[in-house]
Amino acid sequence: MKKVISLLLLCVVMLTGCAKKEFLYLADMTESAGYVVANRHQSSIQSDDRLKITVSCKNPELAAPFNVSTGNVKVSSSGQVSAVANNDANTYRVNIDGEINFPILGMIHVAGLSLQEASDKIRDLIILGNYIKDPIVTTEFLNFHYTVLGAVGSNGTYSVDGDKVTILEAIAKSGDLTAEADLHRIAVIREADGERKIYSVDITSTDIFNSPAFYLAQNDIIYARPKKAKGTANTNYMTWITLALSVITAGCTVAWAIKR
């Protein structure tokens, strides 16, 4: 009887083990082979982005009017004067029309431009207005983020230091995919030019390198589709458990009857 029960328990372990699945990213990638980087990725500025834009030159006095106050002055009760950092210094929010209100220059349309293109545009306007002959303009994102949902370790919205992140990096930061994820149909939902597009990515294939969704854009939503709906998966799991328990019960009953 002990042998029968042991055999039945082994069957149960094998059945439950079928729920686990190992998978490989970029399964068709050849070792030591070269994969050309077709384009140099540059994220585009969108409405509601927060940008930090700094203007500098050899003569700081000339650049000062183009920079928002770098801090406030604080006077203590003893009369000591100290500077207080301003976290919003040189910070601009892109409005719904894709514009920023820049000192001296007024409203400037920046939506759709890369950070470098925005810097070049502001630089050219400063030179064109004969304000500074050789200005240096730097632009950076302050709120570049994306959202990960579905069959991953941790759903949520994540911020990026800079403006360059791949879908593989985003998945890794979210705790990796779960065994329920459909590796061949990872969705990236992107809003651009007044419309939303969905890109389907197969992360088992090197074709992902050529996908427009390999590098994420501001506010992208990554959805790791499950192979089956949660309700269906749970139902199937309970079905396996019920079947296994039924087999064990029947086996024990038969073994008990034979022993008698």
Side-chain angles (χ1 to χ4, degrees):
M1 180 175 178
K2 290 182 178 180
K3 292 183 178 181
V4 174
I5 294 176
S6 298
L7 181 60
L8 292 172
L9 289 175
L10 179 61
C11 292
V12 172
V13 172
M14 293 178 63
L15 289 173
T16 55
C18 293
K20 297 181 180 179
K21 181 178 179 62
E22 295 182 355
F23 52 79
L24 293 175
Y25 296 148
L26 307 174
D28 61 347
M29 194 170 187
T30 304
E31 186 176 353
S32 300
Y35 295 87
V36 178
V37 179
N39 298 304
R40 296 176 60 187
H41 172 75
Q42 290 184 313
S43 296
S44 298
I45 298 171
Q46 302 177 14
S47 297
D48 206 39
D49 279 348
R50 291 179 64 243
L51 307 174
K52 182 173 183 178
I53 305 174
T54 305
V55 178
S56 59
C57 65
K58 295 179 180 179
N59 189 344
E61 289 77 11
L62 294 178
F66 296 96
N67 293 298
V68 179
S69 175
T70 56
N72 299 316
V73 175
K74 179 181 179 181
V75 181
S76 67
S77 57
S78 62
Q80 293 182 335
V81 179
S82 60
V84 179
N86 179 8
N87 294 330
D88 293 329
N90 301 328
T91 300
Y92 305 88
R93 183 176 293 277
V94 184
N95 66 21
I96 194 172
D97 296 319
E99 300 175 328
I100 58 171
N101 190 2
F102 200 77
I104 309 297
L105 302 179
M107 303 302 292
I108 303 176
H109 192 275
V110 294
L113 302 180
S114 67
L115 296 180
Q116 186 59 55
E117 290 170 341
S119 295
D120 291 343
K121 183 173 184 177
I122 294 171
R123 178 181 181 276
D124 292 343
L125 290 173
I126 292 174
I127 295 174
L128 185 62
N130 292 320
Y131 299 110
I132 306 175
K133 291 183 179 180
D134 54 351
I136 299 174
V137 181
T138 57
T139 306
E140 59 182 306
F141 286 115
L142 292 180
N143 67 331
F144 190 100
H145 58 264
Y146 59 86
T147 300
V148 185
L149 301 172
V152 294
S154 179
N155 286 198
T157 298
Y158 300 86
S159 298
V160 178
D161 184 13
D163 65 325
K164 188 175 181 180
V165 60
T166 69
I167 186 173
L168 297 178
E169 292 171 319
I171 290 173
K173 192 170 183 179
S174 68
D176 205 353
L177 298 174
T178 66
E180 290 75 27
D182 185 348
L183 276 65
H184 306 288
R185 298 175 63 244
I186 305 297
V188 177
I189 304 170
R190 177 171 299 169
E191 184 175 334
D193 301 325
E195 63 179 9
R196 292 184 178 87
K197 294 182 180 179
I198 299 180
Y199 300 93
S200 188
V201 176
D202 181 356
I203 63 172
T204 67
S205 171
T206 53
D207 289 341
I208 190 176
F209 295 141
N210 300 318
S211 170
F214 180 66
Y215 287 104
L216 300 185
Q218 168 73 297
N219 301 319
D220 273 1
I221 298 175
I222 302 172
Y223 177 55
R225 296 184 179 98
K227 297 170 187 173
K228 297 180 181 179
K230 288 185 177 180
T232 303
N234 290 336
T235 300
N236 289 340
Y237 186 68
M238 291 304 297
T239 301
W240 278 109
I241 293 177
T242 303
L243 178 61
L245 291 175
S246 298
V247 171
I248 291 175
T249 302
C252 291
T253 301
V254 172
W256 177 78
I258 293 173
K259 185 176 181 180
R260 293 191 64 185

